[in-house]
Amino acid sequence: MDSFLSSSIFFGVFLSLAGYSAGLFVKKKLKLAIFNPLLIAIIIVIAVLKAADIPYKDYNEGAKYISYLLTPATVCLAIPLYRQIAVLKNNFKAIMAGITAGVLSSMGSVLGMSVLFGLTHEQYVTLLPKSITTAIGMGVSQELGGIVTITVAVIIITGVIGNIITEPVCRLFNITDPVATGIGIGSSAHAVGTARAFEIGETQGAMSSLSIAVSGLVTVIMASVFAGIY
């Protein structure tokens, strides 16, 4: 049976979609942010692969096709942004400043933690693109000489954590403005956080979508600068 699953090109796709569907079901029933569908899907996939002793390479032969949808899905986020174009025009300077501050805060925190824990340069540049979408972050990590596979894992973890703590953080710091909320989510937790932003409101989701694209561009420019600091 294990051999059949390993050799099936559909196994990876099925397991990924089944895990995420289970995550959605749990989230809908329990209605708690900590039960993030993506986090639950990751746990289910790992558990199944370990229990059935299926190599990740075999699983990824099928699962990799899902990742092909990542880039077009990110592009589709431009649609809600277009619907909120008036908000963008009215708050353009504040939005650009907020996104830039978010990117600098993200990379600055990586620099500080790298110095504190004595990380190597390779580990440091691996973590630099942690708050941007995977499609861009992988390229940045590879260009800087980082470990791309770890970068992907860190990006996902960052997004999941951002998705979970978004509302508590906003309440803690009394952030109620929808534009500020969206910018904060998008510039720190990319697409996974943006999914949560859309649940909060359309304006928050649109601003978070904008942050994904702009944060990616700013990070591409600033990453090389930060890479030379440590």
Side-chain angles (χ1 to χ4, degrees):
M1 183 64 178
D2 295 351
S3 176
F4 170 74
L5 293 177
S6 297
S7 61
S8 174
I9 193 172
F10 300 108
F11 171 68
V13 175
F14 172 77
L15 179 58
S16 300
L17 296 179
Y20 190 75
S21 296
L24 287 175
F25 177 79
V26 173
K27 175 68 181 297
K28 184 177 180 180
K29 287 294 183 180
L30 300 180
K31 301 183 184 303
L32 295 174
I34 192 171
F35 294 105
N36 180 272
L38 181 58
L39 177 61
I40 293 175
I42 292 172
I43 294 173
I44 291 175
V45 170
I46 292 175
V48 171
L49 294 183
K50 292 293 291 184
D53 195 26
I54 297 175
Y56 171 78
K57 181 180 179 181
D58 293 342
Y59 156 77
N60 194 48
E61 280 300 311
K64 66 183 180 182
Y65 295 108
I66 297 178
S67 65
Y68 293 162
L69 302 174
L70 179 62
T71 300
T74 302
V75 173
C76 286
L77 293 173
I79 296 175
L81 176 61
Y82 175 76
R83 294 172 179 168
Q84 298 291 327
I85 194 67
V87 177
L88 172 60
K89 291 179 178 179
N90 293 334
N91 300 275
F92 182 78
K93 292 182 180 180
I95 290 172
M96 292 299 109
I99 294 175
T100 302
V103 172
L104 294 177
S105 296
S106 173
M107 292 193 288
S109 65
V110 171
L111 174 60
M113 296 297 283
S114 297
V115 173
L116 180 63
F117 291 102
L119 301 185
T120 65
H121 177 76
E122 182 184 41
Q123 294 167 337
Y124 166 62
V125 295
T126 295
L127 299 177
L128 273 181
K130 68 178 182 63
S131 291
I132 59 175
T133 185
T134 308
I136 302 175
M138 291 173 63
V140 173
S141 178
Q142 185 175 22
E143 184 69 22
L144 297 178
I147 307 170
V148 177
T149 51
I150 295 180
T151 298
V152 172
V154 171
I155 289 174
I156 293 174
I157 292 171
T158 300
V160 170
I161 293 176
N163 185 295
I164 293 173
I165 69 173
T166 286
E167 289 193 280
V169 169
C170 288
R171 285 196 299 268
L172 177 63
F173 293 97
N174 195 30
I175 303 174
T176 57
D177 182 82
V179 175
T181 301
I183 294 301
I185 296 172
S187 60
S188 60
H190 51 84
V192 181
T194 298
R196 183 67 185 132
F198 275 112
E199 293 177 2
I200 299 173
E202 185 174 358
T203 301
Q204 289 89 333
M207 293 302 104
S208 187
S209 301
L210 171 65
S211 297
I212 294 176
V214 179
S215 294
L217 293 175
V218 176
T219 299
V220 169
I221 297 171
M222 295 302 300
S224 58
V225 176
F226 272 80
I229 296 177
Y230 179 76

